[in-house]
């Protein structure tokens, strides 16, 4: 594998906006040849990034896309997402489509890219979510898919070693152009940001920098790992409900 930044070819699925665009920009800044693929083009072209229209839920089209590449060093499986939808508010088929997008399409893309990555000694970076490790009311199918994605990555890392490294970025809340839809505008975003230990939501560039690291020689001995990119995690709810750490009018044992 040519590990000079300008010698690498990187594919970012769903890399036209939000987190995916942040990842694509981060790789482009290293001098890599970056391709993004999605059903729709970006609203504004990304500098140094090439776009190819592709429906990742169409396995023959995905295989044709990767077969046509002259080389591939890094695959970032970013495409995914879900609307807010409680389980009983939709039929099983609709939830299955969420699982297809968030779990099956990364598998399809990874299998289609495997021979390229094996020859290059390349890397796969899965974009997971904290929703895969906790209850996710309103996005249960998404959370289940992300849990499966993390497990898939660990198995893939073991089966494809030592030629291909596979890791997962477990991403928390990110401030994208759609953040207001999730958190309720500036006031909601500020309120949610205060729940994060680092005091803010992630920027897409934060996720991009982590993806570049996992794909780089600096992470050459990291495979089958999950890197948390969540600003320190979520404060346990019981701490806010508990009275154990609140000031008391009672004197302490040490007072005289």
């Amino acid at each position: 594998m040519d590990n000079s930044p300008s010698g690498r070819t990187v594919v970012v699925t769903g890399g036209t906006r939000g987190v995916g665009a942040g990842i694509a920009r981060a790789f482009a800044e290293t001098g890599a040849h970056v391709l993004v693929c999605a059903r729709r083009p970006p609203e504004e072209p990304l500098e140094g990034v090439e776009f190819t229209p592709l429906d990742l839920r169409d396995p023959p089209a995905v295989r044709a896309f990767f077969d046509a590449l002259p080389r591939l060093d890094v695959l970032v499986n970013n495409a995914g997402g879900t609307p807010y939808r409680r389980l009983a508010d939709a039929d099983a088929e609709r939830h299955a489509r969420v699982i297809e997008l968030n779990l099956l399409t990364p598998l399809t893309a990874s299998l289609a890219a495997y021979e390229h990555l094996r020859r290059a000694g390349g890397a796969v970076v899965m974009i997971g979510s904290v929703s895969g490790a906790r209850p996710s009311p309103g996005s249960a199918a998404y959370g289940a898919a992300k849990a499966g994605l993390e497990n898939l990555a660990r198995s893939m890392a073991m089966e494809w070693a030592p030629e291909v490294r596979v890791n997962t970025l477990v991403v928390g809340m990110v401030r994208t152009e759609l953040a207001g839809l999730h958190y309720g505008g500036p006031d909601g975003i500020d309120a949610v940001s205060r729940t994060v230990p680092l005091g803010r939501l992630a920027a897409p560039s934060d996720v991009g920098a982590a993806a570049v690291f996992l794909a780089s020689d600096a992470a050459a001995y990291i495979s089958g790992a999950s890197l948390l990119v969540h600003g320190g995690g979520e404060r346990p709810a019981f701490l806010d409900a508990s009275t154990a750490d609140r000031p008391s009018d009672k004197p302490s044992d040490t007072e005289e």
Side-chain angles (χ1 to χ4, degrees):
M1 175 179 176
D2 180 355
N3 287 303
S4 63
S6 59
R8 294 188 301 171
T9 296
V10 180
V11 167
V12 182
T13 67
T16 58
R17 66 181 183 183
V19 169
I23 294 170
R25 290 190 188 98
F27 277 104
E29 288 169 0
T30 72
H33 176 212
V34 182
L35 301 92
V36 300
C37 51
R39 287 186 299 167
R40 290 180 290 273
E43 293 183 1
E44 296 182 6
L46 303 174
E47 185 176 353
V49 176
E50 181 181 335
F51 170 75
T52 298
L54 179 64
D55 185 348
L56 289 153
R57 291 170 290 193
D58 182 348
V62 173
R63 288 191 288 269
F65 167 76
F66 283 101
D67 287 347
L69 297 178
R71 67 171 293 157
L72 178 64
D73 301 282
V74 180
L75 169 63
V76 182
N77 282 308
N78 164 79
T82 185
Y84 180 87
R85 181 182 295 127
R86 289 189 171 272
L87 283 169
D89 292 341
D91 55 30
E93 290 83 356
R94 190 173 294 271
H95 293 301
R97 286 196 288 273
V98 173
I99 294 173
E100 177 188 24
L101 176 62
N102 291 280
L103 178 57
L104 297 184
T105 62
L107 175 59
T108 299
S110 298
L111 289 171
Y114 171 67
E115 287 299 331
H116 279 307
L117 295 170
R118 183 186 61 80
R119 287 192 295 268
V124 177
V125 180
M126 303 290 198
I127 304 303
S129 171
V130 295
S131 294
R134 57 158 171 75
S136 297
S139 57
Y142 173 81
K146 291 298 187 181
L149 183 67
E150 197 169 348
N151 185 273
L152 173 65
R154 293 194 191 105
S155 298
M156 191 179 289
M158 189 166 290
E159 288 195 16
W160 291 1
E163 292 86 3
V164 181
R165 294 186 302 107
V166 185
N167 293 291
T168 303
L169 289 181
V170 182
V171 180
M173 297 179 289
V174 184
R175 187 164 188 166
T176 68
E177 57 268 53
L178 299 178
L181 298 178
H182 295 285
Y183 309 122
D187 290 342
I189 291 173
D190 288 344
V192 172
S193 296
R194 290 193 292 271
T195 71
V196 179
L198 289 187
R200 65 176 178 86
L201 305 186
S205 59
D206 293 317
V207 184
V212 168
F213 163 69
L214 284 181
S216 74
D217 282 350
Y221 199 64
I222 300 175
S223 192
S226 297
L227 177 60
L228 296 169
V229 185
H230 60 7
E234 299 177 358
R235 178 178 170 84
F238 81 86
L239 291 176
D240 295 321
S242 171
T243 60
D245 61 352
R246 295 178 185 173
S248 172
D249 294 333
K250 298 179 181 179
S252 69
D253 292 339
T254 59
E255 288 183 341
E256 298 180 357

